[in-house]
Amino acid sequence: MSKLSRPPQGETLGLTNCPTCKYLCHLEQGNCPRCGQAVQSRDRTSVQKSWALLITAAILLFPANLYPITIMTSQGQVRQDTIFSGINHLVHLDLLPIAIILFTASILVPMLKIFGLALYLTAISYRLPISKKTLMAGFHIIEWIGRWSMLDLFVISITAALINMGQIWDAKPAPAATAFALVILLTQLAAKVLDTRLLWDRLESKDDTN
Amino acid sequence: MTLDDRKRPRTDMKTEVLDKSIVLCRACDLVVRKRALPTGVRALCPRCHTNLYDTPYCSVNGMLALCITALVLYFPANFFPVLEMHFLGSIRTTTIAGGAMAVASQGYWVVGIAVLVAAVIAPGLLIVSILTQVLIVKYRLRVPFFRNIYKKLLKQHSLLAQLSMLEIYMISIFVSVFQLSDYTDLYFGIGTFCFTMLFIMVIFMQREYDIEHMWSVLDE
Ligand SMILES: [Zn+2]
Ligand SMILES: [Zn+2]
């Protein structure tokens, strides 16, 4: 496939969408005539910004999962739970649906998000044997599902506010909660800053059936 | 001088025609020819399947009614407890902000702020922002001062919409109930009802709201 068969892109026509209001702007104008935002065809630094945020998130994923996220006191007995042991505890209590919801929101989604974004960013810089369509579909899913990780933090805040009866029954957040909140924030930012058009500037490979 | 003057209008004419008939995919920059759509249908990018545009349907009066209802519900939903717990004769209650404070007071202020922003501040600002936008479109769009405010609000809209997580909070109430119901009795109060209604109103509000359409109002 040569350059000739490539579908027409806005960049080749000297046109681009305003990043703020999506108005169709001419690149030589410099600023969007409707909202005044500076326009540029591609944000090439977005790949580095996205990597930086993503790597920080990936590092924080370790304390978020290894340290306890809640401390529960029940009749003088103290029980510390990590994200995983908390979910495991729910399975033993026969609360399987809740365990599945929390497993998805707190373990599956953050890991898929970090793995998926890393794959997308790698595909911008290197040729990967994955079609761009699949990558883009994955990106849209990540964008949509990413916020659901907040579920666990909401539950912790409700539980901590209701259960505060000292030695009898008490629930408190533990250090992993902060790390987990930062993982959510950083991964959401990493997806938001990325200019997805960069992936589509790569020439079509044989894996793409357009 | 003569050459320049003669050239300019021509290129402008050409691009003017181009601007109205094409749309660029925001995810992959593909040039797509715009076509008229039947109502309720959205156009997808043929290359990467990102949503391109849909038929603008945005009744200003309907939006206004939804915004006012949501705003009225916002206060009881945040003032009354969303969950009530009866344990050994004592009653414990919590509001959404109360939950955020309980976490923050233990030193986990990052978590507290996240909860407060996602479930209280951002939804509130979102409702006020949309209400103001609708009122400006309806009555005061010609006044430059209000026009500027309108633009500023539109610029912040996608951030507010992303930060507002009422639907997730809704589910977390149910998860908490299931988790704790083995140990104690939990009750929904008037706050839970108001919160549920608020959540439904905001869902409808966001379905009705179309940011592209709101921006295009400025072009008229
Ligand atoms: Zn603009
Ligand atoms: Zn596209």
Side-chain angles (χ1 to χ4, degrees):
Chain A
M1 294 257 161
S2 68
K3 253 193 165 142
L4 288 167
S5 68
R6 161 186 245 166
Q9 300 206 135
E11 195 176 31
T12 47
L13 298 180
L15 297 168
T16 196
N17 283 328
C18 164
T20 308
C21 73
K22 308 290 178 281
Y23 189 75
L24 196 60
C25 304
H26 293 275
L27 277 169
E28 75 252 26
Q29 279 173 325
N31 287 75
C32 169
R34 185 157 71 179
C35 75
Q37 174 80 42
V39 293
Q40 58 181 133
S41 181
R42 297 286 184 273
D43 182 4
R44 284 174 213 287
T45 60
S46 75
V47 178
Q48 289 158 44
K49 287 183 213 154
S50 196
W51 268 123
L53 292 164
L54 193 65
I55 290 167
T56 319
I59 293 168
L60 280 168
L61 197 63
F62 288 97
N65 279 287
L66 296 176
Y67 283 99
I69 196 162
T70 50
I71 301 172
M72 187 83 105
T73 311
S74 183
Q75 268 122 36
Q77 275 194 318
V78 181
R79 183 192 158 86
Q80 299 199 342
D81 268 319
T82 61
I83 294 176
F84 187 76
S85 76
I87 292 165
N88 210 12
H89 187 60
L90 287 174
V91 174
H92 285 298
L93 290 175
D94 273 339
L95 291 168
L96 203 57
I98 301 294
I100 291 170
I101 292 174
L102 283 180
F103 180 79
T104 311
S106 308
I107 295 181
L108 215 54
V109 168
M111 288 194 177
L112 277 178
K113 211 155 71 167
I114 289 175
F115 179 73
L117 276 174
L119 204 62
Y120 197 100
L121 286 168
T122 312
I124 290 176
S125 312
Y126 305 98
R127 175 152 297 182
L128 293 182
I130 309 164
S131 89
K132 291 193 252 186
K133 249 178 208 167
T134 315
L135 283 168
M136 197 70 223
F139 188 84
H140 286 315
I141 294 170
I142 285 169
E143 256 189 330
W144 182 81
I145 210 172
R147 341 157 56 233
W148 282 87
S149 302
M150 278 297 286
L151 188 75
D152 209 5
L153 295 181
F154 287 155
V155 172
I156 288 171
S157 82
I158 294 173
T159 328
L162 285 176
I163 305 172
N164 52 353
M165 282 147 275
Q167 287 295 301
I168 306 168
W169 202 18
D170 191 60
K172 280 195 180 81
T178 301
F180 189 66
L182 290 174
V183 168
I184 301 171
L185 178 73
L186 292 169
T187 45
Q188 287 302 91
L189 277 176
K192 204 176 156 63
V193 298
L194 183 65
D195 188 343
T196 56
R197 293 171 299 188
L198 290 168
L199 175 74
W200 296 87
D201 287 341
R202 291 192 68 85
L203 284 176
E204 308 295 323
S205 72
K206 61 178 173 9
D207 305 296
D208 288 296
T209 44
N210 249 324
Chain B
M1 162 209 165
T2 44
L3 210 130
D4 256 29
D5 282 347
R6 239 178 269 160
K7 251 186 176 170
R8 273 267 151 78
R10 253 185 137 180
T11 46
D12 277 350
M13 267 278 283
K14 197 179 145 206
T15 45
E16 190 73 12
V17 173
L18 202 65
D19 283 1
K20 284 187 180 142
S21 63
I22 65 161
V23 58
L24 298 182
C25 172
R26 79 195 63 142
C28 78
D29 208 25
L30 185 74
V31 178
V32 183
R33 209 155 284 284
K34 227 175 177 172
R35 266 177 282 168
L37 286 177
T39 35
V41 176
R42 44 178 54 166
L44 297 182
C45 170
R47 183 160 68 162
C48 74
H49 296 183
T50 301
N51 198 0
L52 285 181
Y53 56 93
D54 39 28
T55 40
Y57 174 72
C58 203
S59 133
V60 172
N61 288 325
M63 287 287 288
L64 191 61
L66 281 171
C67 284
I68 292 170
T69 320
L71 196 63
V72 168
L73 287 164
Y74 180 80
F75 294 98
N78 279 288
F79 187 76
F80 292 111
V82 284
L83 215 52
E84 220 178 281
M85 183 178 87
H86 296 203
F87 182 71
L88 300 176
S90 72
I91 297 172
R92 309 264 157 173
T93 63
T94 183
T95 58
I96 305 171
M101 295 307 166
V103 186
S105 68
Q106 297 291 326
Y108 299 95
W109 50 271
V110 175
V111 183
I113 290 172
V115 173
L116 202 64
V117 166
V120 182
I121 299 173
L125 288 178
L126 186 72
I127 296 167
V128 173
S129 166
I130 295 182
L131 180 64
T132 318
Q133 289 168 31
V134 170
L135 286 175
I136 291 177
V137 167
K138 211 164 144 63
Y139 299 111
R140 285 278 183 276
L141 197 63
R142 301 271 163 262
V143 186
F145 173 73
F146 288 105
R147 220 180 152 82
N148 271 332
I149 292 181
Y150 185 75
K151 277 187 194 176
K152 289 207 173 91
L153 290 176
L154 286 187
K155 280 187 195 175
Q156 300 307 321
H157 179 85
S158 72
L159 181 68
L160 279 183
Q162 253 186 352
L163 286 177
S164 162
M165 304 184 184
L166 291 181
E167 73 279 23
I168 303 169
Y169 201 88
M170 192 76 233
I171 303 293
S172 74
I173 292 177
F174 289 117
V175 170
S176 310
V177 169
F178 273 103
Q179 268 193 15
L180 298 174
S181 58
D182 264 15
Y183 306 99
T184 180
D185 297 325
L186 287 139
Y187 297 92
F188 298 125
I190 179 84
T192 327
F193 174 74
C194 291
F195 181 80
T196 312
M197 293 308 290
L198 173 69
F199 150 76
I200 293 168
M201 287 303 142
V202 171
I203 293 247
F204 276 115
M205 209 168 78
Q206 284 184 303
R207 274 180 65 110
E208 198 92 336
Y209 186 91
D210 182 37
I211 184 85
E212 314 264 310
H213 177 71
M214 296 307 264
W215 274 114
S216 68
V217 168
L218 283 172
D219 301 336
E220 285 158 15

